[in-house]
Amino acid sequence: MATSVTDRLADLETIRRVTDLRARVAAWRQDGLSVGLVPTMGALHEGHFSLVRKSVAAMDRTIVTLFVNPRQFGPNEDFGTYPRTEEADAAALQRQGAQVLFAPNVEEMYPAGAVTTVSVPGIGDILEGSFRPGFFTGVATVVSKLLIQAAPDVAYFGKKDYQQLCVITRMAADLDLPVKIEGCPIIREADGLALSSRNVYLSPDERAKAPMLHQALNDVAAKVRAGGVEAIADAEAAGAEAILKAGFKQVDYVTVRDAANLAPITDVMKPARILTAAWLGRTRLIDNIPLHD
Ligand code: PAF
């Protein structure tokens, strides 16, 4: 059912309890309204807002979730220091036209005794999954809970976390969750750096070096497009070398993969994705691009 512009600009409601979220969605459903969901960990930036705008444009109602999910952080990762900016996030979401901010606390999401997890073997074990053990089980667990709690028609995820999008798509299909998972374009700074909540960790010097990651991906793509499958190994190695030369401390991977299942490719004419993860000082950046535009 279509809603008026005034309706869309109505006040943002912050909900902290699952039962209240369910009641709000049930009331919307009674009125025949469609619902979009944008899961986030907060510290919102233009990348998140682009997802919110997609939902607001296509759906009658938009829920944005804000939950820094402890289960997707490893013991030596940045759960404690992850930027938390709820007040600013809420104000921005109101301007973007979302109706609900669902911001539960850890006890609400994982009440005492909650032990069930959702894991996505295979695609969840490679690349990010091998460098961050448990990460995708944490992501799949929290996202499946959010999808069950909010029961949206469509859930929006950025392609910046491309493997995450693949894992969630697989998980939603495998669990027969009645939701469309929509992948949305990466939003970049003018110099090519992909927007990320973790970019705030970069020093001015690191920030100046960071766009090289995107540049390296473009160079790998050009080499593979020109040289075919035989050029992949050299292109990946040259990409890693260029990233290190730009001042990154360590490259976890630069790799050309099948766009759907992230397996190594044997045919460069099929949809493929080039993915990388690398450390710039103490910040781990990830990025990816399609092999073909
Ligand atoms: O991409 C993120 O911000 C998180 O991994 C997500 C999907 C909100 C799950 O916590």
Side-chain angles (χ1 to χ4, degrees):
M1 187 185 289
T3 49
S4 71
V5 172
T6 335
D7 191 15
R8 285 192 188 289
L9 291 175
D11 277 0
L12 180 85
E13 179 186 9
T14 297
I15 294 180
R16 302 205 183 266
R17 299 258 174 219
V18 174
T19 47
D20 294 338
L21 179 68
R22 285 191 198 281
R24 169 63 60 243
V25 174
W28 288 342
R29 293 299 189 192
Q30 280 230 318
D31 291 341
L33 301 174
S34 59
V35 178
L37 185 79
V38 182
T40 84
M41 296 206 300
L44 302 181
H45 50 65
E46 192 50 35
H48 299 110
F49 299 146
S50 70
L51 308 180
V52 175
R53 282 197 295 273
K54 267 202 174 238
S55 177
V56 168
M59 299 283 122
D60 294 314
R61 295 290 182 265
T62 293
I63 301 168
V64 179
T65 72
L66 191 177
F67 180 63
V68 185
N69 174 31
R71 294 205 185 177
Q72 69 186 76
F73 289 80
N76 299 319
E77 294 186 348
D78 56 344
F79 175 68
T81 55
Y82 195 84
R84 288 163 171 85
T85 56
E86 183 181 321
E87 214 175 304
D89 291 346
L93 288 173
Q94 169 132 352
R95 287 194 296 275
Q96 299 293 331
Q99 280 74 33
V100 163
L101 173 62
F102 178 52
N105 64 19
V106 174
E107 291 69 37
E108 182 69 7
M109 283 302 274
Y110 302 118
V115 293
T116 302
T117 59
V118 177
S119 61
V120 186
I123 197 162
D125 295 329
I126 59 175
L127 304 176
E128 286 303 286
S130 69
F131 284 94
R132 303 180 67 189
F135 170 65
F136 283 124
T137 296
V139 169
T141 301
V142 80
V143 172
S144 55
K145 283 170 70 77
L146 292 168
L147 292 175
I148 291 166
Q149 291 161 353
D153 299 287
V154 182
Y156 299 85
F157 297 89
K159 288 186 182 171
K160 157 78 173 24
D161 297 290
Y162 191 81
Q163 188 178 3
Q164 169 173 279
L165 174 64
C166 296
V167 166
I168 290 168
T169 303
R170 181 78 263 158
M171 177 271 290
D174 290 353
L175 297 181
D176 299 315
L177 296 179
V179 59
K180 179 178 176 218
I181 303 297
E182 191 162 323
C184 303
I186 298 175
I187 306 297
R188 298 183 181 279
E189 302 279 8
D191 60 11
L193 177 64
L195 296 197
S196 162
S197 302
R198 289 188 167 102
N199 289 352
V200 297
Y201 297 154
L202 298 172
S203 69
D205 179 52
E206 290 165 349
R207 174 62 189 82
K209 293 170 177 160
M212 189 52 211
L213 203 59
H214 182 230
Q215 184 54 49
L217 290 175
N218 285 331
D219 294 345
V220 173
K223 286 187 178 117
V224 175
R225 283 198 300 264
V229 170
E230 294 73 33
I232 290 178
D234 282 353
E236 290 172 343
E241 207 181 305
I243 293 166
L244 290 173
K245 216 167 146 201
F248 282 68
K249 191 175 71 179
Q250 181 187 316
V251 178
D252 285 349
Y253 56 83
V254 177
T255 186
V256 185
R257 297 293 171 115
D258 180 285
N261 60 19
L262 300 184
I265 63 165
T266 51
D267 178 355
V268 292
M269 296 321 288
K270 290 200 179 141
R273 207 88 194 170
I274 309 173
L275 306 102
T276 187
W279 288 89
L280 189 48
R282 292 151 61 116
T283 307
R284 187 169 182 276
L285 298 178
I286 60 171
D287 200 352
N288 68 88
I289 60 168
L291 175 58
H292 301 283
D293 291 329

